[in-house]
Amino acid sequence: MKRIVIFLLFILFSAVVVSASPASVKIGNATITVGEHVNIPITIDADEEISCATIVVTYDGDIVHVVSVSEGNFDQLVYNNTLGRIKIVTFQTGEGGLKGGTVANLHIEAKKEGYSPLNLKIETLKNNEGKKVPVTALNGFISVSSPTASPTPSASPTSTSSSSDTDTTPTPSPSPTPTLPPSPSPATTPALSPPPALTPTFSSPTPLPSPSPPSLSPSLERREIIIQIENVTIEEGEYAEVPILITGDGVKYANLTLFVPSIVEVEEVYAGDYENFLYNISNGRIEMVAYTNKHLKGTVKFAVIKMKAIERAHTAGELRLKVNEIRDGTQITVRNGQILIKEREKEELTFVILIAIMIMAITIILLMMLWRKKSIKKGEK
Protein backbone atom coordinates (compact mmCIF):
# COMPACT_ATOMS: atom_id res chain seq x y z
CA MET A 1 0.00 0.00 0.00
CA LYS A 2 2.82 2.37 0.86
CA ARG A 3 4.46 1.73 -2.51
CA ILE A 4 1.22 2.62 -4.32
CA VAL A 5 0.90 5.89 -2.37
CA ILE A 6 4.52 6.80 -3.10
CA PHE A 7 4.01 6.00 -6.78
CA LEU A 8 0.89 8.23 -6.96
CA LEU A 9 2.69 11.06 -5.20
CA PHE A 10 5.56 10.75 -7.66
CA ILE A 11 3.12 11.03 -10.60
CA LEU A 12 1.47 14.11 -9.06
CA PHE A 13 4.84 15.71 -8.38
CA SER A 14 5.93 15.07 -11.98
CA ALA A 15 2.75 16.67 -13.28
CA VAL A 16 3.32 19.73 -11.13
CA VAL A 17 6.92 20.06 -12.34
CA VAL A 18 5.85 19.79 -15.98
CA SER A 19 3.08 22.38 -15.61
CA ALA A 20 5.45 24.76 -13.84
CA SER A 21 7.76 25.11 -16.85
CA PRO A 22 7.66 28.75 -17.96
CA ALA A 23 6.15 29.95 -21.22
CA SER A 24 8.09 32.27 -23.51
CA VAL A 25 6.93 35.41 -25.28
CA LYS A 26 9.23 36.72 -28.01
CA ILE A 27 9.27 39.76 -30.30
CA GLY A 28 11.17 39.68 -33.57
CA ASN A 29 14.03 41.81 -34.93
CA ALA A 30 14.17 43.90 -38.10
CA THR A 31 16.55 46.03 -40.17
CA ILE A 32 15.03 48.64 -42.50
CA THR A 33 15.75 52.06 -43.98
CA VAL A 34 14.16 55.44 -43.25
CA GLY A 35 10.61 55.69 -44.61
CA GLU A 36 10.09 51.94 -44.91
CA HIS A 37 7.48 49.86 -43.08
CA VAL A 38 7.94 46.45 -41.49
CA ASN A 39 5.73 43.88 -39.80
CA ILE A 40 7.20 42.46 -36.54
CA PRO A 41 5.31 39.60 -34.83
CA ILE A 42 4.98 38.85 -31.14
CA THR A 43 4.86 35.08 -30.61
CA ILE A 44 4.16 32.80 -27.68
CA ASP A 45 5.24 29.26 -26.84
CA ALA A 46 3.81 27.42 -23.80
CA ASP A 47 3.29 23.90 -22.49
CA GLU A 48 -0.32 24.65 -21.54
CA GLU A 49 -3.13 26.47 -23.28
CA ILE A 50 -3.09 30.26 -22.88
CA SER A 51 -6.44 32.06 -22.91
CA CYS A 52 -5.45 35.64 -22.03
CA ALA A 53 -2.35 37.83 -22.28
CA THR A 54 -1.56 41.46 -21.49
CA ILE A 55 1.72 42.64 -23.03
CA VAL A 56 3.41 46.06 -23.03
CA VAL A 57 5.99 46.95 -25.70
CA THR A 58 8.26 49.96 -25.23
CA TYR A 59 10.53 51.43 -27.93
CA ASP A 60 12.31 54.62 -29.00
CA GLY A 61 9.60 56.86 -30.45
CA ASP A 62 12.16 59.15 -32.09
CA ILE A 63 13.51 56.34 -34.26
CA VAL A 64 10.37 54.33 -35.15
CA HIS A 65 6.61 54.60 -34.84
CA VAL A 66 4.06 51.83 -34.41
CA VAL A 67 1.41 52.66 -36.99
CA SER A 68 -1.05 49.91 -36.10
CA VAL A 69 -1.45 46.47 -34.53
CA SER A 70 -3.20 43.54 -36.18
CA GLU A 71 -4.53 40.29 -34.71
CA GLY A 72 -2.57 37.09 -34.58
CA ASN A 73 -3.95 33.63 -33.76
CA PHE A 74 -6.08 34.74 -30.81
CA ASP A 75 -9.78 35.54 -31.30
CA GLN A 76 -9.83 39.06 -29.90
CA LEU A 77 -7.28 41.85 -29.61
CA VAL A 78 -7.44 45.31 -28.06
CA TYR A 79 -4.53 47.75 -27.88
CA ASN A 80 -3.66 51.24 -26.68
CA ASN A 81 -1.04 52.97 -28.84
CA THR A 82 0.99 55.93 -27.54
CA LEU A 83 4.37 57.27 -28.62
CA GLY A 84 7.09 54.89 -27.44
CA ARG A 85 4.65 52.52 -25.70
CA ILE A 86 1.91 50.17 -26.77
CA LYS A 87 -0.28 47.98 -24.57
CA ILE A 88 -1.85 44.85 -26.06
CA VAL A 89 -4.62 42.71 -24.58
CA THR A 90 -5.48 39.51 -26.42
CA PHE A 91 -7.74 36.62 -25.40
CA GLN A 92 -9.71 33.60 -26.57
CA THR A 93 -13.51 33.69 -26.65
CA GLY A 94 -13.88 29.93 -27.04
CA GLU A 95 -13.40 27.20 -24.46
CA GLY A 96 -9.79 26.38 -25.30
CA GLY A 97 -6.69 28.54 -25.50
CA LEU A 98 -3.54 28.35 -27.56
CA LYS A 99 -0.23 26.71 -26.71
CA GLY A 100 1.67 28.62 -29.36
CA GLY A 101 1.33 31.05 -32.21
CA THR A 102 1.27 34.76 -32.94
CA VAL A 103 -0.11 37.08 -30.28
CA ALA A 104 -0.10 40.21 -32.44
CA ASN A 105 1.63 41.88 -35.38
CA LEU A 106 3.20 45.33 -35.03
CA HIS A 107 3.23 47.48 -38.17
CA ILE A 108 6.20 49.82 -37.69
CA GLU A 109 7.39 52.81 -39.71
CA ALA A 110 11.03 53.98 -39.65
CA LYS A 111 11.34 57.69 -38.87
CA LYS A 112 15.08 58.36 -38.75
CA GLU A 113 18.41 56.56 -38.64
CA GLY A 114 19.27 54.82 -35.40
CA TYR A 115 18.57 51.75 -33.26
CA SER A 116 15.64 51.09 -31.00
CA PRO A 117 15.14 48.24 -28.52
CA LEU A 118 11.79 46.47 -28.50
CA ASN A 119 11.32 45.65 -24.83
CA LEU A 120 8.57 43.33 -23.62
CA LYS A 121 6.78 43.44 -20.29
CA ILE A 122 4.30 40.64 -19.60
CA GLU A 123 1.71 41.99 -17.18
CA THR A 124 -0.57 38.95 -17.25
CA LEU A 125 -0.52 35.52 -18.86
CA LYS A 126 -3.31 33.14 -17.85
CA ASN A 127 -4.37 29.61 -18.75
CA ASN A 128 -7.87 28.27 -19.35
CA GLU A 129 -8.52 28.09 -15.60
CA GLY A 130 -7.62 31.75 -15.12
CA LYS A 131 -4.39 30.95 -13.28
CA LYS A 132 -1.20 32.88 -13.96
CA VAL A 133 1.46 31.12 -16.00
CA PRO A 134 5.19 31.78 -15.38
CA VAL A 135 6.69 33.40 -18.45
CA THR A 136 10.05 34.49 -19.87
CA ALA A 137 10.19 37.54 -22.15
CA LEU A 138 12.67 37.69 -25.05
CA ASN A 139 13.21 41.26 -26.21
CA GLY A 140 14.03 42.36 -29.74
CA PHE A 141 15.32 45.38 -31.61
CA ILE A 142 14.90 47.35 -34.84
CA SER A 143 17.74 48.94 -36.80
CA VAL A 144 17.08 51.89 -39.12
CA SER A 145 19.62 53.02 -41.71
CA SER A 146 19.56 55.98 -44.07
CA PRO A 147 18.71 55.30 -47.74
CA THR A 148 21.81 54.76 -49.88
CA ALA A 149 21.84 57.33 -52.70
CA SER A 150 25.50 57.22 -53.73
CA PRO A 151 24.90 57.02 -57.56
CA THR A 152 23.12 60.40 -57.63
CA PRO A 153 26.30 62.55 -57.66
CA SER A 154 27.49 60.82 -60.86
CA ALA A 155 24.23 61.72 -62.58
CA SER A 156 24.41 65.41 -61.71
CA PRO A 157 27.43 66.24 -63.93
CA THR A 158 25.81 64.61 -66.96
CA SER A 159 22.60 66.53 -66.44
CA THR A 160 24.44 69.84 -66.09
CA SER A 161 26.49 69.19 -69.20
CA SER A 162 23.40 68.35 -71.25
CA SER A 163 21.57 71.42 -70.01
CA SER A 164 24.59 73.58 -70.79
CA ASP A 165 24.71 72.16 -74.31
CA THR A 166 21.08 72.95 -74.90
CA ASP A 167 21.60 76.49 -73.65
CA THR A 168 24.66 77.10 -75.80
CA THR A 169 23.60 75.39 -79.05
CA PRO A 170 21.28 78.28 -80.02
CA THR A 171 24.25 80.69 -80.05
CA PRO A 172 26.27 78.85 -82.74
CA SER A 173 23.20 77.74 -84.73
CA PRO A 174 22.15 81.26 -85.91
CA SER A 175 25.59 81.83 -87.53
CA PRO A 176 25.44 78.82 -89.90
CA THR A 177 21.75 79.23 -90.67
CA PRO A 178 21.96 82.55 -92.64
CA THR A 179 25.06 81.36 -94.58
CA LEU A 180 23.45 78.10 -95.87
CA PRO A 181 19.71 78.66 -96.29
CA PRO A 182 19.18 76.33 -99.32
CA SER A 183 20.46 73.12 -97.73
CA PRO A 184 18.74 72.26 -94.45
CA SER A 185 20.51 68.91 -94.14
CA PRO A 186 24.02 70.39 -94.13
CA ALA A 187 22.73 72.97 -91.67
CA THR A 188 21.87 70.25 -89.24
CA THR A 189 25.30 68.75 -89.67
CA PRO A 190 27.14 71.87 -88.49
CA ALA A 191 24.57 72.18 -85.69
CA LEU A 192 25.62 68.79 -84.41
CA SER A 193 29.34 69.43 -84.81
CA PRO A 194 29.61 72.33 -82.30
CA PRO A 195 28.79 70.21 -79.20
CA PRO A 196 32.07 68.29 -79.48
CA ALA A 197 33.83 71.60 -79.86
CA LEU A 198 31.87 73.05 -76.94
CA THR A 199 32.47 70.14 -74.56
CA PRO A 200 36.05 71.17 -73.88
CA THR A 201 34.88 74.66 -72.97
CA PHE A 202 32.41 73.24 -70.43
CA SER A 203 34.82 70.58 -69.14
CA SER A 204 36.63 73.24 -67.13
CA PRO A 205 33.74 73.76 -64.61
CA THR A 206 33.00 70.03 -64.37
CA PRO A 207 36.24 68.91 -62.67
CA LEU A 208 34.70 69.92 -59.32
CA PRO A 209 31.93 67.28 -59.38
CA SER A 210 33.80 64.80 -61.58
CA PRO A 211 36.26 63.68 -58.89
CA SER A 212 33.37 62.82 -56.57
CA PRO A 213 32.59 59.39 -58.12
CA PRO A 214 36.22 58.24 -57.81
CA SER A 215 36.30 59.50 -54.23
CA LEU A 216 33.38 57.22 -53.38
CA SER A 217 35.18 54.12 -54.57
CA PRO A 218 37.72 53.92 -51.73
CA SER A 219 34.90 53.75 -49.18
CA LEU A 220 33.54 50.75 -51.02
CA GLU A 221 36.82 48.87 -50.97
CA ARG A 222 36.88 45.53 -49.22
CA ARG A 223 37.78 45.82 -45.54
CA GLU A 224 38.38 42.81 -43.34
CA ILE A 225 36.50 42.70 -40.05
CA ILE A 226 37.78 40.14 -37.53
CA ILE A 227 35.39 39.00 -34.79
CA GLN A 228 36.84 36.71 -32.15
CA ILE A 229 36.34 35.37 -28.66
CA GLU A 230 39.41 34.44 -26.68
CA ASN A 231 40.28 31.01 -25.32
CA VAL A 232 39.84 30.59 -21.59
CA THR A 233 40.74 28.10 -18.86
CA ILE A 234 38.64 28.03 -15.67
CA GLU A 235 39.17 26.12 -12.47
CA GLU A 236 36.35 23.95 -11.14
CA GLY A 237 33.60 26.10 -9.64
CA GLU A 238 35.42 29.35 -10.44
CA TYR A 239 34.47 32.34 -12.62
CA ALA A 240 36.05 33.88 -15.69
CA GLU A 241 35.34 36.96 -17.81
CA VAL A 242 35.81 36.35 -21.52
CA PRO A 243 35.86 39.30 -23.98
CA ILE A 244 34.47 39.33 -27.51
CA LEU A 245 36.68 41.52 -29.71
CA ILE A 246 36.09 43.26 -33.04
CA THR A 247 39.08 44.34 -35.12
CA GLY A 248 38.28 46.77 -37.91
CA ASP A 249 38.02 50.45 -38.67
CA GLY A 250 34.70 52.17 -37.98
CA VAL A 251 32.38 49.25 -37.16
CA LYS A 252 29.38 51.09 -35.73
CA TYR A 253 26.85 48.25 -35.54
CA ALA A 254 27.08 44.51 -34.92
CA ASN A 255 24.50 41.80 -34.23
CA LEU A 256 26.10 38.59 -32.93
CA THR A 257 25.04 35.31 -31.33
CA LEU A 258 27.31 33.36 -28.99
CA PHE A 259 26.66 29.65 -28.41
CA VAL A 260 27.92 28.59 -24.97
CA PRO A 261 28.62 24.93 -24.05
CA SER A 262 26.80 23.31 -21.14
CA ILE A 263 29.98 22.94 -19.12
CA VAL A 264 29.69 26.59 -18.04
CA GLU A 265 26.88 28.82 -16.83
CA VAL A 266 26.57 32.44 -17.99
CA GLU A 267 26.36 34.72 -14.95
CA GLU A 268 26.34 38.15 -16.60
CA VAL A 269 26.97 39.94 -19.90
CA TYR A 270 28.69 43.32 -19.81
CA ALA A 271 28.79 45.99 -22.51
CA GLY A 272 32.13 46.73 -24.15
CA ASP A 273 33.21 49.91 -25.92
CA TYR A 274 29.88 50.53 -27.64
CA GLU A 275 27.51 53.18 -26.30
CA ASN A 276 24.38 51.04 -26.69
CA PHE A 277 24.20 47.34 -25.91
CA LEU A 278 21.30 44.86 -25.76
CA TYR A 279 21.33 41.11 -25.08
CA ASN A 280 19.15 38.08 -24.40
CA ILE A 281 20.21 34.76 -22.81
CA SER A 282 18.22 31.63 -23.68
CA ASN A 283 18.96 27.92 -24.14
CA GLY A 284 22.73 28.15 -24.14
CA ARG A 285 23.02 31.09 -26.49
CA ILE A 286 23.41 34.85 -26.07
CA GLU A 287 21.93 37.21 -28.67
CA MET A 288 23.72 40.57 -28.59
CA VAL A 289 23.34 43.89 -30.42
CA ALA A 290 25.74 46.81 -30.01
CA TYR A 291 25.83 50.16 -31.81
CA THR A 292 27.45 53.56 -31.50
CA ASN A 293 27.69 56.89 -33.29
CA LYS A 294 31.40 57.21 -32.50
CA HIS A 295 34.19 56.18 -34.83
CA LEU A 296 35.89 53.19 -33.21
CA LYS A 297 39.39 52.34 -34.40
CA GLY A 298 41.53 49.24 -34.11
CA THR A 299 40.51 46.40 -31.79
CA VAL A 300 37.53 47.17 -29.54
CA LYS A 301 35.51 45.19 -27.00
CA PHE A 302 32.09 44.18 -28.23
CA ALA A 303 31.06 42.55 -24.95
CA VAL A 304 32.42 40.68 -21.92
CA ILE A 305 30.87 37.35 -20.87
CA LYS A 306 31.11 36.33 -17.22
CA MET A 307 30.73 32.57 -16.83
CA LYS A 308 31.13 29.91 -14.15
CA ALA A 309 32.55 26.42 -14.57
CA ILE A 310 29.88 23.93 -13.50
CA GLU A 311 31.38 20.67 -14.79
CA ARG A 312 34.27 18.59 -13.54
CA ALA A 313 37.90 19.11 -14.50
CA HIS A 314 39.32 17.99 -17.85
CA THR A 315 36.12 18.88 -19.76
CA ALA A 316 36.20 21.24 -22.73
CA GLY A 317 33.84 22.94 -25.14
CA GLU A 318 33.61 25.49 -27.95
CA LEU A 319 32.59 29.13 -27.70
CA ARG A 320 31.04 29.57 -31.14
CA LEU A 321 30.18 32.94 -32.65
CA LYS A 322 27.62 33.62 -35.36
CA VAL A 323 27.43 36.94 -37.21
CA ASN A 324 23.80 37.86 -37.85
CA GLU A 325 24.55 41.33 -39.25
CA ILE A 326 27.38 43.82 -39.27
CA ARG A 327 27.83 47.26 -40.78
CA ASP A 328 30.84 48.89 -42.45
CA GLY A 329 32.54 45.68 -43.42
CA THR A 330 32.43 43.44 -46.48
CA GLN A 331 34.89 40.67 -45.56
CA ILE A 332 34.22 39.09 -42.17
CA THR A 333 36.46 36.59 -40.39
CA VAL A 334 35.14 34.77 -37.30
CA ARG A 335 37.49 33.16 -34.80
CA ASN A 336 35.81 30.94 -32.24
CA GLY A 337 37.25 30.17 -28.83
CA GLN A 338 37.79 27.12 -26.66
CA ILE A 339 37.00 26.70 -22.99
CA LEU A 340 38.73 24.21 -20.66
CA ILE A 341 37.94 23.35 -17.06
CA LYS A 342 40.95 22.36 -14.97
CA GLU A 343 41.50 21.13 -11.45
CA ARG A 344 41.83 23.51 -8.56
CA GLU A 345 45.43 24.32 -7.87
CA LYS A 346 46.53 22.93 -4.52
CA GLU A 347 48.14 25.46 -2.25
CA GLU A 348 51.72 24.29 -2.15
CA LEU A 349 54.12 25.47 0.54
CA THR A 350 56.60 27.94 -0.81
CA PHE A 351 60.34 27.72 -0.28
CA VAL A 352 60.24 30.53 2.28
CA ILE A 353 57.58 28.76 4.32
CA LEU A 354 59.59 25.54 4.23
CA ILE A 355 62.71 27.33 5.48
CA ALA A 356 60.67 28.97 8.25
CA ILE A 357 59.28 25.60 9.30
CA MET A 358 62.74 24.07 9.29
CA ILE A 359 64.13 26.91 11.42
CA MET A 360 61.28 26.55 13.86
CA ALA A 361 61.82 22.80 14.04
CA ILE A 362 65.57 23.21 14.63
CA THR A 363 64.90 25.84 17.29
CA ILE A 364 62.47 23.53 19.08
CA ILE A 365 64.99 20.66 18.95
CA LEU A 366 67.76 22.86 20.35
CA LEU A 367 65.50 24.12 23.12
CA MET A 368 64.54 20.56 24.00
CA MET A 369 68.20 19.55 24.05
CA LEU A 370 69.10 22.48 26.36
CA TRP A 371 66.18 21.69 28.62
CA ARG A 372 67.30 18.07 28.79
CA LYS A 373 70.90 19.04 29.66
CA LYS A 374 69.69 21.31 32.43
CA SER A 375 67.47 18.60 33.84
CA ILE A 376 70.37 16.14 33.77
CA LYS A 377 72.62 18.59 35.64
CA LYS A 378 69.96 19.15 38.24
CA GLY A 379 69.65 15.39 38.67
CA GLU A 380 73.41 14.98 39.14
CA LYS A 381 73.40 17.62 41.86
Side-chain angles (χ1 to χ4, degrees):
M1 184 67 183
K2 288 183 179 180
R3 291 182 179 180
I4 297 174
V5 172
I6 293 171
F7 179 74
L8 293 174
L9 289 173
F10 176 78
I11 293 175
L12 290 173
F13 177 77
S14 301
V16 171
V17 171
V18 171
S19 63
S21 59
S24 64
V25 177
K26 181 179 180 180
I27 187 168
N29 306 323
T31 301
I32 57 176
T33 58
V34 176
E36 287 186 346
H37 293 74
V38 67
N39 178 39
I40 297 183
I42 301 174
T43 58
I44 189 171
D45 185 15
D47 293 334
E48 55 185 312
E49 293 184 349
I50 304 299
S51 61
C52 177
T54 303
I55 301 170
V56 177
V57 183
T58 55
Y59 58 93
D60 190 341
D62 295 331
I63 304 299
V64 295
H65 171 61
V66 177
V67 180
S68 62
V69 180
S70 62
E71 293 181 358
N73 300 121
F74 285 81
D75 295 338
Q76 298 293 328
L77 182 140
V78 181
Y79 67 92
N80 181 18
N81 191 4
T82 57
L83 184 62
R85 184 180 186 273
I86 184 164
K87 186 173 184 178
I88 301 170
V89 179
T90 183
F91 53 91
Q92 287 289 97
T93 56
E95 294 181 358
L98 297 176
K99 286 188 175 181
T102 302
V103 178
N105 295 290
L106 304 185
H107 304 282
I108 299 178
E109 178 186 8
K111 297 168 64 176
K112 71 175 185 179
E113 184 179 4
Y115 309 91
S116 171
L118 300 174
N119 295 326
L120 290 173
K121 180 183 178 182
I122 315 302
E123 292 190 349
T124 57
L125 192 69
K126 296 181 179 180
N127 57 17
N128 294 337
E129 299 177 356
K131 296 180 180 179
K132 289 186 177 181
V133 177
V135 59
T136 301
L138 302 175
N139 299 324
F141 72 93
I142 184 167
S143 169
V144 180
S145 59
S146 58
T148 56
S150 56
T152 52
S154 62
S156 57
T158 56
S159 61
T160 54
S161 62
S162 61
S163 62
S164 62
D165 291 341
T166 53
D167 293 338
T168 53
T169 45
T171 53
S173 59
S175 57
T177 339
T179 56
L180 297 170
S183 55
S185 58
T188 56
T189 314
L192 294 174
S193 58
L198 289 173
T199 48
T201 60
F202 289 95
S203 62
S204 57
T206 51
L208 292 175
S210 61
S212 57
S215 65
L216 292 174
S217 58
S219 63
L220 299 177
E221 291 179 356
R222 282 186 171 271
R223 294 186 303 160
E224 184 181 14
I225 305 297
I226 300 175
I227 302 174
Q228 62 180 351
I229 183 167
E230 296 184 349
N231 299 328
V232 63
T233 302
I234 314 177
E235 294 181 4
E236 291 177 290
E238 294 297 323
Y239 296 87
E241 293 185 355
V242 189
I244 299 175
L245 305 176
I246 296 181
T247 303
D249 188 19
V251 179
K252 293 185 176 181
Y253 168 83
N255 178 3
L256 309 178
T257 300
L258 175 65
F259 296 90
V260 182
S262 59
I263 63 174
V264 293
E265 185 179 50
V266 177
E267 294 288 327
E268 189 59 64
V269 180
Y270 304 107
D273 298 324
Y274 286 80
E275 294 174 315
N276 304 283
F277 183 73
L278 305 170
Y279 72 93
N280 278 323
I281 304 176
S282 63
N283 299 326
R285 67 179 185 178
I286 311 171
E287 298 177 355
M288 297 166 286
V289 177
Y291 51 91
T292 182
N293 293 322
K294 297 179 181 179
H295 185 78
L296 302 176
K297 295 182 180 180
T299 300
V300 298
K301 281 185 182 179
F302 174 80
V304 179
I305 316 299
K306 182 180 179 181
M307 55 185 68
K308 179 182 179 181
I310 59 175
E311 285 291 333
R312 292 177 296 176
H314 308 297
T315 55
E318 184 184 26
L319 297 169
R320 184 166 58 89
L321 283 167
K322 176 187 175 185
V323 178
N324 302 315
E325 184 183 1
I326 197 166
R327 300 276 176 85
D328 305 319
T330 54
Q331 185 176 348
I332 302 172
T333 301
V334 178
R335 296 175 181 172
N336 297 323
Q338 297 290 329
I339 185 167
L340 173 66
I341 299 177
K342 65 177 183 178
E343 294 181 357
R344 283 178 174 269
E345 293 183 359
K346 297 179 181 179
E347 296 183 358
E348 297 180 355
L349 296 176
T350 61
F351 182 70
V352 177
I353 296 175
L354 288 174
I355 292 176
I357 292 174
M358 289 176 65
I359 293 172
M360 291 178 64
I362 293 171
T363 304
I364 293 171
I365 292 171
L366 291 174
L367 291 173
M368 291 179 67
M369 289 175 66
L370 290 172
W371 175 80
R372 189 174 181 180
K373 284 182 180 181
K374 288 181 180 180
S375 61
I376 291 172
K377 288 181 180 180
K378 287 181 181 180
E380 290 178 351
K381 289 180 181 181

